[in-house]
Amino acid sequence: MPERTSFHEDQDLVSPLLRAVKTRGEERQKLCIDDMLQRHCGEFGVWQLRHFVLTSLAWALEAFHTMVMIFADREPAWTCVSSRGCSVSSTSVCGLDPGSWEWTGGQGSSTAAEWGLVCENKYKVGLVQALFFGGCMIGAGVFGHLSDSFLGRKGSLTVVCILNAVFGCLTALSPGFWAYALLRLLTGFSTGGVGLCAFVLATEPVGPTKRGVAGMSTFYFFSTGIALLSGIAYIFQSWRSLYIASSLPSVLFVVLVIPFLSESPRWYLVRGKINEAMEVMCAIAKSNGNHLPDGVVLGLDEETNENSTDTESYKEELSTKQAISGSLIDVIRLPITRFRLFLAVVINFLCSVVYYGLSLNVVNLETNLYLSVLLNAVAEMPAYTLTAVLLDRFGRKPLAIGTLWFSGFFCLLGTLVKSNGIWMIVRMVCGVLGIFGMAGTYNLLFIYTTELFPTVVRNAALGCATQAAQMGAILAPFVVVLGGVLPFAVFGACGITGGILAFYLPETLNQPLYDTMTGMEDAEKALKE
């Protein structure tokens, strides 16, 4: 009777994964995931396309929860109801007699109208925005670690989507401003994990030569989410109904999409779940119309240096395989990853200051709020297309430097332009071009940061970089209030500085995604020899 293996018992004896295990002494070839994708499974076939699209839908959910504040916290239009103490020529309700004016659409149209967040209380709107991004900063770090450890990529994405739905609906029931602020902080906490978990889960099963374009394409879903939100906000004019309408899609995602997603085979591999990783790789090969040969098995980076292993050794390894985990401490301990993390954090911070700052600082469309948000979302898409096209032609590093300097140049040019007459249009164009360049950088940095770190610490490092970006988002409004040419000067300096720092990053084009810290360290040593 054949000897049984230590996992899945009878099923494994007939499974194509272990068909060749039955013969004692038979040799097996170990391949890392990138090699297996390139040689046998396919780098971006039907399986990866379906998985990528379904997973990336979560980016639209992040856009809903992030940008809903534009509509919910807006200061609506107002009209005079009495000629005494109110003038239609007034630019603000501040100073008008109480009862001489009223909000268009009623007090329920926005939080500013319901709780009087205008005049001396206007700072509270900015406070809520800062709290939301502060929550994002905390959540990115927490869920970045959890998705690298026991919770996994898919598990973490499930949790953050459930929390988003719960906190979003509770926000609609806020009895007062401070309850609202607390719930926005909690929503930010869960939202901070959505993008990074979805990004890593969507791109890790993609082969190395296709990963760049795939990673760059995720932000289309974010921009599409913003565009859809403008339509949802137009339909639901009340801020409370808007929060419910923008939160329910998270429930639909958990129920209708997540059950059809697969966990990352890279996470399975580093957690010691080799059979589960092999099952995913076989599913990828089958869906893509390819065949995974018998005797080919997955191995970590340092293990694939061995050409082959016999069946008995492989079965013993499967029964004794231990999970490999890592944290930011491991990133900081290794000089290579420590320097990369420092650069990634600073560049993400600078990029975020410019991106969110220019978004708040530029008033370029004299139309209603809903149309302005829609057009701004659509305007970012050409930047994503251009960077995706150029990504694999010029590489990550030159493109990062180029987009940062492009944005910084036009921001600095904006400081030299006057703010009256036709020059106002010129300054507006400078701001739009600055956003165009930085939108491309923002997109690029996700795929770049992902490729700089091995699987065991990838989400933790990406979460740290995302935290830095959220800190930049918190500080951006304070730069905007400086007024005059100072914001453009700050944004220009951030763009130029970010480009200089990018010079010190390594090129990752067509390089493998390493699984462990040891694998990356060994590869770097081999390159230097």
Side-chain angles (χ1 to χ4, degrees):
M1 183 175 182
E3 182 181 354
R4 292 182 182 270
T5 59
S6 60
F7 52 93
H8 292 297
E9 297 295 341
D10 293 333
Q11 289 87 343
D12 283 343
L13 295 177
V14 296
S15 170
L17 301 179
L18 300 177
R19 207 170 278 159
V21 177
K22 300 178 182 179
T23 306
R24 183 180 300 272
E26 183 178 349
E27 289 190 345
R28 291 178 169 274
Q29 181 186 20
K30 282 189 175 181
L31 296 176
C32 66
I33 287 182
D34 279 344
D35 287 340
M36 188 173 288
L37 289 170
Q38 288 183 306
R39 298 182 189 180
H40 305 295
C41 300
E43 294 192 72
F44 195 81
V46 175
W47 192 96
Q48 286 101 331
L49 178 61
R50 179 186 64 85
H51 179 80
F52 177 83
V53 171
L54 291 178
T55 305
S56 297
L57 291 175
W59 280 95
L61 305 179
E62 179 175 353
F64 288 172
H65 291 286
T66 301
M67 299 302 178
V68 67
M69 67 180 71
I70 297 176
F71 304 100
D73 299 340
R74 74 188 190 280
E75 183 176 329
W78 55 275
T79 59
C80 290
V81 295
S82 173
S83 58
R84 183 175 300 177
C86 181
S87 174
V88 292
S89 61
S90 299
T91 58
S92 173
V93 298
C94 301
L96 299 182
D97 292 343
S100 63
W101 59 276
E102 65 179 7
W103 297 111
T104 302
Q107 291 187 341
S109 58
S110 76
T111 59
E114 182 165 336
W115 295 319
L117 308 182
V118 294
C119 304
E120 67 274 8
N121 290 320
K122 193 173 183 178
Y123 76 94
K124 291 183 178 180
V125 174
L127 177 62
V128 171
Q129 181 179 358
L131 287 173
F132 174 82
F133 285 117
C136 288
M137 183 178 65
I138 299 171
V142 171
F143 287 105
H145 173 72
L146 291 177
S147 62
D148 278 338
S149 55
F150 69 93
L151 203 53
R153 279 75 160 119
K154 181 180 176 180
S156 296
L157 184 60
T158 304
V159 170
V160 294
C161 287
I162 293 174
L163 291 178
N164 265 348
V166 173
F167 293 146
C169 290
L170 289 177
T171 301
L173 305 177
S174 301
F177 170 77
W178 292 111
Y180 173 72
L182 175 61
L183 286 166
R184 285 302 288 165
L185 171 67
L186 295 175
T187 305
F189 172 76
S190 55
T191 302
V194 173
L196 68 92
C197 291
F199 183 86
V200 174
L201 181 60
T203 57
E204 281 193 334
V206 179
T209 64
K210 308 295 183 183
R211 192 180 303 123
V213 174
M216 296 288 284
S217 301
T218 56
F219 274 75
Y220 286 110
F221 293 87
F222 185 81
S223 296
T224 301
I226 298 175
L228 290 174
L229 179 63
S230 64
I232 296 173
Y234 183 79
I235 296 172
F236 298 94
Q237 298 283 329
S238 166
W239 73 268
R240 293 183 185 273
S241 61
L242 175 59
Y243 268 109
I244 294 177
S246 60
S247 300
L248 289 180
S250 294
V251 178
L252 297 178
F253 183 81
V254 171
V255 175
L256 301 179
V257 177
I258 284 185
F260 298 97
L261 300 181
S262 297
E263 180 57 270
S264 169
R266 297 181 188 275
W267 181 81
Y268 277 142
L269 184 60
V270 299
R271 297 297 295 178
K273 301 179 180 182
I274 300 180
N275 191 64
E276 287 85 348
M278 284 296 297
E279 288 176 351
V280 176
M281 299 303 289
C282 279
I284 294 175
K286 182 178 180 180
S287 296
N288 292 346
N290 297 318
H291 172 67
L292 195 60
D294 295 336
V296 175
V297 295
L298 283 173
L300 297 172
D301 299 315
E302 63 264 27
E303 297 171 343
T304 55
N305 292 328
E306 303 175 5
N307 293 327
S308 62
T309 182
D310 60 53
T311 299
E312 294 301 319
S313 299
Y314 181 65
K315 290 191 293 182
E316 181 180 355
E317 178 184 341
L318 285 174
S319 63
T320 60
K321 190 70 175 179
Q322 298 295 318
I324 300 175
S325 61
S327 65
L328 281 178
I329 296 177
D330 299 304
V331 178
I332 296 172
R333 184 181 295 119
L334 189 65
I336 298 173
T337 52
R338 179 171 63 240
F339 186 59
R340 291 183 179 185
L341 181 65
F342 168 76
L343 292 175
V345 164
V346 176
I347 293 174
N348 273 273
F349 172 81
L350 296 174
C351 177
S352 184
V353 171
V354 180
Y355 178 80
Y356 286 103
L358 285 174
S359 299
L360 296 172
N361 194 57
V362 177
V363 183
N364 58 344
L365 297 172
E366 295 182 1
T367 181
N368 65 70
L369 178 64
Y370 308 99
L371 184 60
S372 297
V373 173
L374 173 63
L375 294 179
N376 279 333
V378 173
E380 293 182 359
M381 293 187 181
Y384 303 151
T385 303
L386 185 61
T387 49
V389 170
L390 300 178
L391 183 67
D392 288 333
R393 180 173 300 180
F394 295 103
R396 282 68 163 148
K397 183 175 178 177
L399 202 57
I401 297 170
T403 52
L404 283 163
W405 280 1
F406 181 91
S407 179
F409 170 78
F410 282 102
C411 288
L412 291 178
L413 188 61
T415 64
L416 306 177
V417 177
K418 299 178 181 179
S419 58
N420 52 30
I422 190 65
W423 295 108
M424 294 179 63
I425 300 178
V426 176
R427 177 176 286 187
M428 179 197 71
V429 172
C430 289
V432 172
L433 291 174
I435 292 178
F436 175 85
M438 201 53 66
T441 308
Y442 217 87
N443 192 6
L444 169 65
L445 284 179
F446 255 86
I447 185 65
Y448 204 174
T449 305
T450 298
E451 294 177 340
L452 288 172
F453 302 94
T455 303
V456 290
V457 295
R458 184 170 297 123
N459 257 24
L462 187 58
C464 191
T466 303
Q467 284 181 303
Q470 300 301 343
M471 181 62 73
I474 293 172
L475 294 180
F478 297 100
V479 177
V480 173
V481 299
L482 295 175
V485 299
L486 288 178
F488 271 104
V490 173
F491 301 149
C494 288
I496 299 299
T497 303
I500 294 174
L501 292 176
F503 265 105
Y504 297 95
L505 287 172
E507 179 56 69
T508 59
L509 177 63
N510 293 333
Q511 297 298 311
L513 280 182
Y514 297 105
D515 296 316
T516 63
M517 304 290 284
T518 303
M520 170 175 281
E521 190 174 15
D522 291 343
E524 291 295 326
K525 289 179 180 178
L527 289 175
K528 294 178 180 179
E529 293 177 355

